[in-house]
Amino acid sequence: MERAKFILEEKDMPTSWYNIQADLPEPLPPVLHPATGQPVTPDDLAPLFPMALIMQEVSQERYIEIPEEVQEIYRTWRPTILHRAYRLEKALDTPAKIFYKYEGTSQAGSHKPNTAVAQAYYNKKEGIKRLTTETGAGQWGSALAMGCMFFGLELKVYMVKISYEQKPYRRVLMETWGAKCVPSPSPDTKTGREMLAKDPDCPGSLGLAISEAVEDTLSRDDTHYSLGSVLNHVLLHQTINGLETRKLMMEQADAYPDIIVGCIGGGSNFAGLYLPFVKDKIDGTKPDLRIINVEPASCPTLTKGPYAYDFGDSAGMTPLILMYTLGHGFIPPPVHAGGLRYHGMAPIICHLHRLGLVEARAEHQLATFEAGVTFARTEGIISAPEPNHAIKVVIDEALKCRESGESKTILLAHSGHGHFDMAAYDAYLSGKLTDYEYPEDKVKEALASLPEVPGR
Amino acid sequence: MERAKFILEEKDMPTSWYNIQADLPEPLPPVLHPATGQPVTPDDLAPLFPMALIMQEVSQERYIEIPEEVQEIYRTWRPTILHRAYRLEKALDTPAKIFYKYEGTSQAGSHKPNTAVAQAYYNKKEGIKRLTTETGAGQWGSALAMGCMFFGLELKVYMVKISYEQKPYRRVLMETWGAKCVPSPSPDTKTGREMLAKDPDCPGSLGLAISEAVEDTLSRDDTHYSLGSVLNHVLLHQTINGLETRKLMMEQADAYPDIIVGCIGGGSNFAGLYLPFVKDKIDGTKPDLRIINVEPASCPTLTKGPYAYDFGDSAGMTPLILMYTLGHGFIPPPVHAGGLRYHGMAPIICHLHRLGLVEARAEHQLATFEAGVTFARTEGIISAPEPNHAIKVVIDEALKCRESGESKTILLAHSGHGHFDMAAYDAYLSGKLTDYEYPEDKVKEALASLPEVPGR
């Protein structure tokens, strides 16, 4: 019998997160204050985030201890399983060995709780009673609802109105975990009221929802704001997954990946898996390791965007971040992989890409669903539209191995199940799904409005 | 650190199913042919099922080896995890120790694939190319679609039309795994065509869908029929879960349950967990073990039904089964726990209840959702409406322990997640969910039409 699954014992679970900043060949560029062009200070961020997270954002420590209270919650669903995809390998008739680390067994069905739980904990510890956030389709809002539930924090989620109306199930998830979810624009903030006065039927946008959440946060002393991707501390928390995986590959599966593949929207899921492996590339132990970031062809941040200072949000309220960007004003086409519809990218990923340590590829929607159905019909798992992007590239690489006869080891970061995304599969299977071309003109327009950095 | 999760290594997974028939103090009563009143013979069943399953139905062997091909598929998601519900215990302030074995991490999100995979295998092995089945909300149809996918069998699912239209997501699951799913009544069978001619808007029923599936099966040589619960071989396959759990409790958790709780519709999920424990009660090792079968108050088969010969299906096409029944013509009220809306009960469970080895309790819908929300807000898992019935009783028993100060060990059979059932949670949270009283008059009426057993 060959082993199909690898899992750590609870006692062997990592007790620290891995901070790539300790090992970067060049330090991360600073995040800048849009008014002064100077690096933001902890004080600038203090109204929004707890100091522990602000410090993690800039920490140079290699390992940051996971608080016991967070470990305890992690243990309600972690460690997660590393699978060997024997059936996919066989169907592709490839000599490649395909592994996937599967985060879909968390209570929320994705990797998002890894940081939601940690963020809720640090806020609670600093006396905060309530968080706000924005959400599109609801993946992040629901994961944070779960995180807040575990630590007894209130949560108010501003959900883009059109999603609130069209995709009620993740809203119900949030409510089941005890969060309050309102459609944005809402009458609960000045921003929302102004928009509703102008256009009562406004469908909302992520930028507007962020504005409402931030306004809500700044109006109350007991409230902080929370983000589900992009920021360094979010990627840090996600490294629990990569640390588990690296240990399982080396100690149980007796294998080391030649290629690691994952999808990127803000980037936290995939970076969380690969940062502990990138380390091996930086220190020269594994110079040939390839890491492939996969993004939608209709929102090709790493593959087509310039490396420039831009706002992290579409409303232009955040500090300025040096990243590959399609322009904060760019609204990506409505692909079903809502979690990949982001104009920018985590600065850590951008920096690694800039340094040539990771690569990127862009895929069209139809091809990703075709790959997802192949995965479902071999491994059984119905994947969310986001990881389908990565599965497409895994299959391509495995087929290249069939051509070349090489028995490469391919590791897939599988971020979650698609049980909330069956409407997308329905569209695909009934031939109604379409591709979206790269909207070059719209990106040009958005890039023309990149913010100026004061003093440059 | 106290352990929160217990899981077997793959190499320690059970390699045989446990057959309770070897250990029953009295043998199971025979299943009778409705025309003759005589026990059905293997030949009677051969047009519908493969001989291997027919033999398992009556086998007296204690352990039946799980074919290596089935074990290989089991290993794509099994073994599953035994959790200690520390956070629920704390919230209830109870000295009870609560464990739950969670089957929601299968690719279908429930326990159903345990038998779907085995049934697909045995059919494939006997040269069958195609299966048919009926499905209501789609749990069984989707699990069998997954089972057939793994073994390259075609599957046609007759889905009750009103569910087909109102609950499209499980239909899409089936299609993603490659099954064909049609609304019943369909134009594909004589039964369906006749019904459509009479009433083109007929919403369908489970009985009608069974009739269509059986007609389809009998009209083709390459096709068999498949059932997802009730039958002895289905319960047999589900014992993989109980065998894992017993091993984990005794070898890893160092605990033995005082009380085991689960929900019952046809009974396969819960019996699969408890049969390997009932054995300890029969042989006198654990005389005080309590096993509580939980059913909906609106469909109280074990708690209110007479023990009588009845048809297993509402169409009256099956052999006669001695079981607790509310009458095969009884249509249970539309509680959200669709998997528990069955007029009868697995003969093995009925027999054990008759012998006083297990007990039963009936719960109302609202109270089960209240319990489900408590579970979601402590353990994080959003449970399907079916296991919410069991959670209600677990909480009641844990609260009794708080009163008495006893530190009992309670084991919950948790059959799956509720990510496809968020509409039910929405109804509950918005105050729109109602209870259904036990429809005594309708049951009386249905019981008046119990079939006569020829020659008695």
Side-chain angles (χ1 to χ4, degrees):
Chain A
M1 181 190 115
E2 292 184 279
R3 279 185 76 177
K5 287 199 307 309
F6 308 87
I7 184 166
L8 293 176
E9 288 190 48
E10 264 183 28
K11 66 177 176 53
D12 297 328
M13 274 179 69
T15 56
S16 298
W17 294 298
Y18 169 64
N19 180 15
I20 188 77
Q21 293 192 64
D23 292 312
L24 288 173
E26 294 173 23
L28 277 180
V31 168
L32 305 181
H33 197 293
T36 64
Q38 294 301 306
V40 293
T41 64
D43 283 354
D44 292 333
L45 300 171
L48 294 177
F49 303 109
M51 202 44 73
L53 294 180
I54 294 170
M55 291 295 111
Q56 288 179 2
E57 203 56 25
V58 294
S59 169
Q60 301 296 310
E61 292 293 317
R62 182 167 290 115
Y63 291 101
I64 294 178
E65 203 179 320
I66 307 173
E68 175 51 38
E69 293 89 336
V70 173
Q71 290 188 46
E72 188 190 316
I73 304 299
Y74 276 175
R75 288 197 293 268
T76 67
W77 82 92
R78 303 204 71 83
T80 61
I81 293 172
L82 175 71
H83 296 255
R84 173 80 183 269
Y86 285 115
R87 294 180 50 84
L88 177 61
E89 292 170 18
K90 202 174 160 193
L92 300 175
D93 189 22
T94 177
K97 297 185 183 71
I98 303 174
F99 292 85
Y100 59 99
K101 186 70 162 15
Y102 182 49
E103 290 285 290
T105 53
S106 81
Q107 300 94 327
S110 79
H111 65 290
K112 291 277 185 195
N114 293 331
T115 186
V117 163
Q119 292 191 43
Y121 166 78
Y122 286 114
N123 276 289
K124 173 81 175 186
K125 207 183 155 203
E126 293 188 16
I128 288 296
K129 301 258 180 293
R130 180 175 174 273
L131 292 182
T132 71
T133 197
E134 75 287 338
T135 199
Q139 284 99 330
W140 170 241
S142 54
L144 189 61
M146 177 177 138
C148 286
M149 173 279 288
F150 276 125
F151 289 102
L153 286 178
E154 281 180 57
L155 172 66
K156 182 156 179 185
V157 181
Y158 293 86
M159 186 171 186
V160 176
K161 197 207 262 172
I162 190 162
S163 298
Y164 183 94
E165 286 166 356
Q166 289 179 353
K167 300 181 177 178
Y169 291 158
R170 277 211 172 84
R171 164 181 63 76
V172 183
L173 256 188
M174 298 181 226
E175 291 170 349
T176 303
W177 280 317
K180 185 169 167 110
C181 178
V182 294
S184 166
S186 79
D188 302 357
T189 66
K190 187 162 164 285
T191 312
R193 284 189 297 272
E194 283 174 5
M195 180 54 79
L196 288 171
K198 237 192 299 179
D199 175 9
D201 297 324
C202 171
S205 70
L206 217 44
L208 191 66
I210 293 176
S211 304
E212 287 204 272
V214 170
E215 181 191 322
D216 177 327
T217 303
L218 297 177
S219 74
R220 293 176 58 156
D221 282 344
D222 64 350
T223 298
H224 270 163
Y225 171 70
S226 176
L227 264 176
S229 191
V230 181
L231 301 181
N232 302 343
H233 70 264
V234 179
L235 274 61
L236 174 78
H237 302 155
Q238 293 291 351
T239 62
I240 178 77
N241 189 30
L243 292 165
E244 282 181 15
T245 307
R246 192 168 176 280
K247 209 165 173 175
L248 288 169
M249 293 288 292
M250 300 180 78
E251 293 174 14
Q252 292 192 22
D254 195 22
Y256 191 94
D258 296 296
I259 308 175
I260 310 181
V261 184
C263 62
I264 49 166
S268 69
N269 144 59
F270 188 33
L273 183 89
Y274 74 63
L275 291 177
F277 289 93
V278 168
K279 182 175 178 295
D280 301 332
K281 193 161 177 171
I282 293 173
D283 70 17
T285 328
K286 299 285 180 185
D288 298 328
L289 169 63
R290 289 179 60 200
I291 294 168
I292 308 178
N293 296 277
V294 190
E295 51 190 15
S298 57
C299 186
T301 314
L302 277 189
T303 47
K304 297 242 164 114
Y307 192 57
Y309 269 103
D310 196 2
F311 294 111
D313 68 315
S314 47
M317 298 178 69
T318 70
L320 297 176
I321 303 171
L322 186 56
M323 60 183 176
Y324 294 90
T325 177
L326 301 172
H328 66 278
F330 173 61
I331 297 171
V335 290
H336 282 278
L340 307 186
R341 295 177 65 238
Y342 180 59
H343 69 277
M345 186 53 58
I348 286 176
I349 291 186
C350 295
H351 189 63
L352 293 171
H353 190 254
R354 187 82 174 161
L355 294 171
L357 289 162
V358 303
E359 54 195 285
R361 206 173 291 177
E363 296 292 343
H364 279 289
Q365 175 160 271
L366 277 169
T368 66
F369 272 88
E370 188 187 353
V373 169
T374 298
F375 196 80
R377 292 185 184 175
T378 50
E379 296 300 310
I381 291 176
I382 311 285
S383 310
E386 291 84 356
N388 281 348
H389 284 70
I391 291 168
K392 166 67 169 67
V393 170
V394 166
I395 291 175
D396 287 347
E397 293 297 320
L399 292 176
K400 280 185 207 164
C401 286
R402 182 169 75 187
E403 293 303 308
S404 69
E406 288 171 290
S407 176
K408 288 189 179 166
T409 296
I410 304 174
L411 170 63
L412 162 68
H414 196 309
S415 54
H417 72 58
H419 292 181
F420 290 109
D421 304 286
M422 296 317 297
Y425 279 90
D426 198 15
Y428 171 71
L429 293 168
S430 60
K432 288 176 195 147
L433 202 71
T434 55
D435 277 339
Y436 294 95
E437 287 311 308
Y438 170 52
E440 199 174 346
D441 290 350
K442 285 192 175 173
V443 170
K444 259 190 198 154
E445 201 180 305
L447 288 175
S449 308
L450 282 184
E452 278 184 42
V453 180
R456 299 210 178 174
Chain B
M1 181 189 115
E2 291 185 278
R3 280 185 76 177
K5 285 199 308 308
F6 308 88
I7 185 167
L8 292 176
E9 289 190 47
E10 264 183 26
K11 65 177 175 53
D12 298 327
M13 273 177 70
T15 56
S16 299
W17 295 297
Y18 168 65
N19 180 15
I20 187 77
Q21 293 192 64
D23 292 312
L24 288 173
E26 294 172 22
L28 276 180
V31 168
L32 305 181
H33 196 295
T36 64
Q38 294 302 306
V40 293
T41 65
D43 284 352
D44 292 334
L45 300 171
L48 294 177
F49 304 108
M51 201 44 71
L53 294 180
I54 295 170
M55 290 295 109
Q56 287 179 3
E57 203 57 24
V58 293
S59 168
Q60 301 294 310
E61 291 294 317
R62 183 168 289 114
Y63 291 101
I64 294 178
E65 203 179 320
I66 307 173
E68 174 54 35
E69 293 89 335
V70 173
Q71 290 188 46
E72 188 190 316
I73 305 297
Y74 276 175
R75 289 196 294 268
T76 68
W77 82 92
R78 304 205 70 84
T80 61
I81 293 172
L82 175 71
H83 295 256
R84 173 81 183 268
Y86 285 115
R87 294 180 49 85
L88 178 61
E89 292 170 17
K90 201 174 160 192
L92 299 175
D93 190 21
T94 176
K97 296 185 184 70
I98 304 173
F99 292 84
Y100 59 99
K101 186 71 164 12
Y102 182 49
E103 290 284 291
T105 53
S106 81
Q107 299 95 326
S110 79
H111 64 290
K112 291 277 185 194
N114 292 331
T115 186
V117 164
Q119 292 191 43
Y121 166 78
Y122 287 114
N123 277 289
K124 174 82 175 186
K125 207 182 156 207
E126 294 190 15
I128 288 297
K129 302 258 180 292
R130 181 173 173 274
L131 293 182
T132 70
T133 197
E134 74 288 339
T135 199
Q139 284 99 330
W140 169 240
S142 55
L144 189 61
M146 176 177 139
C148 286
M149 174 279 288
F150 277 125
F151 289 102
L153 286 178
E154 281 180 57
L155 172 66
K156 182 156 177 184
V157 181
Y158 294 87
M159 185 170 184
V160 177
K161 197 207 265 174
I162 190 162
S163 298
Y164 183 94
E165 287 167 354
Q166 289 179 353
K167 300 182 177 177
Y169 290 158
R170 278 211 172 84
R171 165 182 62 77
V172 183
L173 256 187
M174 297 180 226
E175 292 171 348
T176 303
W177 280 318
K180 185 168 165 109
C181 179
V182 295
S184 167
S186 79
D188 303 358
T189 66
K190 187 163 163 287
T191 312
R193 283 188 298 273
E194 283 174 7
M195 181 52 81
L196 287 170
K198 236 192 297 180
D199 175 9
D201 297 324
C202 170
S205 72
L206 218 42
L208 191 65
I210 293 176
S211 304
E212 288 204 271
V214 171
E215 181 191 323
D216 178 328
T217 303
L218 297 178
S219 74
R220 292 176 58 155
D221 282 343
D222 63 351
T223 299
H224 270 163
Y225 171 71
S226 176
L227 265 174
S229 191
V230 182
L231 301 181
N232 302 344
H233 70 265
V234 179
L235 274 61
L236 174 78
H237 302 154
Q238 292 291 352
T239 61
I240 178 77
N241 189 30
L243 291 165
E244 281 181 17
T245 307
R246 192 168 176 280
K247 208 165 172 174
L248 287 169
M249 294 288 292
M250 300 181 78
E251 293 175 13
Q252 292 193 21
D254 195 23
Y256 191 94
D258 296 296
I259 308 175
I260 310 181
V261 184
C263 62
I264 49 166
S268 69
N269 144 59
F270 188 33
L273 183 90
Y274 74 64
L275 291 178
F277 290 94
V278 168
K279 183 176 177 295
D280 302 332
K281 193 161 176 170
I282 294 173
D283 71 17
T285 327
K286 298 286 180 185
D288 298 329
L289 170 63
R290 289 179 60 200
I291 294 169
I292 308 178
N293 296 277
V294 190
E295 51 191 15
S298 57
C299 186
T301 313
L302 278 189
T303 47
K304 297 241 163 112
Y307 192 58
Y309 269 103
D310 197 2
F311 293 111
D313 67 315
S314 47
M317 300 178 69
T318 70
L320 298 177
I321 303 170
L322 186 57
M323 59 183 177
Y324 293 91
T325 178
L326 301 172
H328 66 279
F330 173 61
I331 297 170
V335 290
H336 282 278
L340 308 187
R341 295 178 63 240
Y342 180 58
H343 69 276
M345 186 54 58
I348 287 176
I349 291 186
C350 294
H351 189 63
L352 292 172
H353 189 253
R354 188 81 174 163
L355 294 171
L357 288 162
V358 303
E359 55 195 285
R361 206 174 290 178
E363 297 292 342
H364 279 290
Q365 175 161 272
L366 278 169
T368 67
F369 272 89
E370 188 187 353
V373 169
T374 297
F375 197 80
R377 292 185 183 173
T378 50
E379 296 298 310
I381 291 175
I382 311 285
S383 310
E386 291 84 358
N388 282 348
H389 284 70
I391 291 168
K392 166 67 168 68
V393 169
V394 166
I395 290 175
D396 286 347
E397 292 297 319
L399 291 176
K400 280 185 207 164
C401 287
R402 182 169 75 187
E403 293 304 305
S404 69
E406 288 171 291
S407 175
K408 287 190 180 166
T409 297
I410 304 173
L411 170 63
L412 162 68
H414 195 309
S415 55
H417 72 57
H419 292 181
F420 291 108
D421 304 285
M422 297 316 298
Y425 279 89
D426 198 15
Y428 171 72
L429 293 168
S430 59
K432 288 175 195 148
L433 201 71
T434 54
D435 276 339
Y436 294 95
E437 287 310 309
Y438 169 53
E440 199 174 345
D441 291 348
K442 287 192 175 173
V443 170
K444 259 189 198 155
E445 201 179 307
L447 289 175
S449 308
L450 282 184
E452 278 184 42
V453 180
R456 298 209 179 177

